Amino acid sequence: MTQFGTHVNTARRSLQEHDRRYSLRQVAKRIGVEPGYLSKIERGQVAPPSEAATVRLAKELDQDPDVLLALGGKVSSDLQEVIRKRPRLFAQLIRELRDAPDHAVLRIVREVRDGDW
Amino acid sequence: MTQFGTHVNTARRSLQEHDRRYSLRQVAKRIGVEPGYLSKIERGQVAPPSEAATVRLAKELDQDPDVLLALGGKVSSDLQEVIRKRPRLFAQLIRELRDAPDHAVLRIVREVRDGDW
DNA sequence: CGTCATGTTTCCTAAACACTACACACTTAC
DNA sequence: GTAAGTGTGTAGTGTTTAGGAAACATGACG
């Protein structure tokens, strides 16, 4: 289950092809972790990093933070906070939407965005 | 920030009034923790318990698990799983609904429940 | 009085989490 | 050919999580 590592490695190497500032060492330095640690992360030798480090990594590699967090088995803490503020409401909504097809959820997103409440 | 403890204590004592099977010790035994631990939980002397223990406690005290988890600063792992399976979609939806009034969210819940996709 | 049952206090800990430090081997650039 | 840069391996660290064990104090009951 190290989707996380391979995903990061692939993304980084793809950037590295055109820009040698995306070596493991340089990326590690920019996101503020030790090279050895990032190496192990990419090869799934350790668990995915903390939320904060994951988000920095996602930004650095131009990835969607929520997706990368998900690959790391996490959910963004700001989303969790939204749920925790109105647990009954959001729990019900999310469970209701668990098996809904993407397009149905998307339709709701658009509906809400066009703010007709 | 020990909303959790006082909430549990209040709920338990209110049950205890009419039914002495809801002493701290007996509840602790039924949910499978040591009395000393539950005591500390109720007085906020330790952090809220794990998700599993919180859910057992909620059921025992006839409380909504999602609400009690929220008071403990947690979000049910089954909800997290739903989000992690389609992170972009659900992240967008939840952020969109962050500031929506309850009745607007409820309307959507009903809409979805009446399954018109 | 003795013995339940109640809640509380103190002390301890095993496991998981999130990393750092540093030495190593190999390639590339000049 | 050496200096710089690349990725990797081994070992160890501090912190947090999630409790358990056992003794203690208090009150009610028969």
Side-chain angles (χ1 to χ4, degrees):
Chain A
M1 275 309 173
T2 171
Q3 265 285 68
F4 189 90
T6 42
H7 183 88
V8 168
N9 181 263
T10 302
R12 186 182 58 76
R13 284 219 323 271
S14 132
L15 287 170
Q16 191 181 17
E17 267 182 54
H18 308 292
D19 187 340
R20 64 197 178 303
R21 293 192 341 262
Y22 287 89
S23 73
L24 184 148
R25 269 169 188 275
Q26 293 192 40
V27 169
K29 176 150 217 178
R30 285 198 295 276
I31 68 167
V33 303
E34 293 295 311
Y37 184 44
L38 181 54
S39 171
K40 282 177 281 187
I41 288 170
E42 287 196 355
R43 287 169 303 111
Q45 214 182 92
V46 299
S50 67
E51 176 175 350
T54 299
V55 169
R56 293 197 304 273
L57 187 52
K59 283 180 179 167
E60 181 63 32
L61 301 182
D62 198 32
Q63 300 286 308
D64 185 326
D66 292 305
V67 171
L68 205 57
L69 283 171
L71 288 174
K74 295 183 163 72
V75 170
S76 175
S77 56
D78 75 296
L79 295 180
Q80 296 201 34
E81 203 190 318
V82 173
I83 297 171
R84 285 200 309 266
K85 281 190 180 154
R86 293 185 280 178
R88 265 179 298 243
L89 212 51
F90 277 93
Q92 201 186 346
L93 175 65
I94 293 167
R95 293 205 179 94
E96 212 83 68
L97 285 172
R98 176 171 36 211
D99 301 315
D102 286 13
H103 68 82
V105 183
L106 261 173
R107 217 200 54 206
I108 293 171
V109 171
R110 275 194 295 273
E111 232 177 272
V112 175
R113 178 161 30 70
D114 303 346
D116 52 345
W117 64 68
Chain B
M1 276 307 172
T2 171
Q3 265 284 69
F4 188 90
T6 42
H7 183 89
V8 168
N9 181 263
T10 303
R12 184 181 61 75
R13 284 219 324 271
S14 132
L15 287 170
Q16 192 181 17
E17 265 183 54
H18 307 292
D19 186 341
R20 65 197 183 302
R21 292 193 342 264
Y22 287 89
S23 74
L24 185 148
R25 270 169 187 275
Q26 292 192 39
V27 168
K29 176 150 216 177
R30 285 198 295 276
I31 68 168
V33 303
E34 292 295 312
Y37 184 44
L38 182 53
S39 171
K40 282 179 281 186
I41 288 170
E42 287 195 356
R43 283 167 310 106
Q45 213 182 91
V46 299
S50 67
E51 176 176 348
T54 300
V55 170
R56 292 198 303 272
L57 188 50
K59 285 180 178 168
E60 181 63 33
L61 301 181
D62 199 31
Q63 300 288 309
D64 184 327
D66 291 305
V67 172
L68 204 57
L69 283 170
L71 289 173
K74 294 186 164 74
V75 170
S76 175
S77 57
D78 74 295
L79 295 180
Q80 297 202 32
E81 202 191 319
V82 173
I83 297 172
R84 285 200 310 266
K85 281 191 180 154
R86 292 185 280 179
R88 265 178 299 243
L89 212 51
F90 277 93
Q92 202 186 344
L93 176 65
I94 293 168
R95 292 206 179 92
E96 213 83 67
L97 287 171
R98 175 171 36 211
D99 302 315
D102 287 11
H103 68 82
V105 183
L106 262 173
R107 218 199 54 205
I108 292 170
V109 171
R110 276 193 294 273
E111 234 178 87
V112 175
R113 178 160 30 70
D114 303 346
D116 52 344
W117 64 70

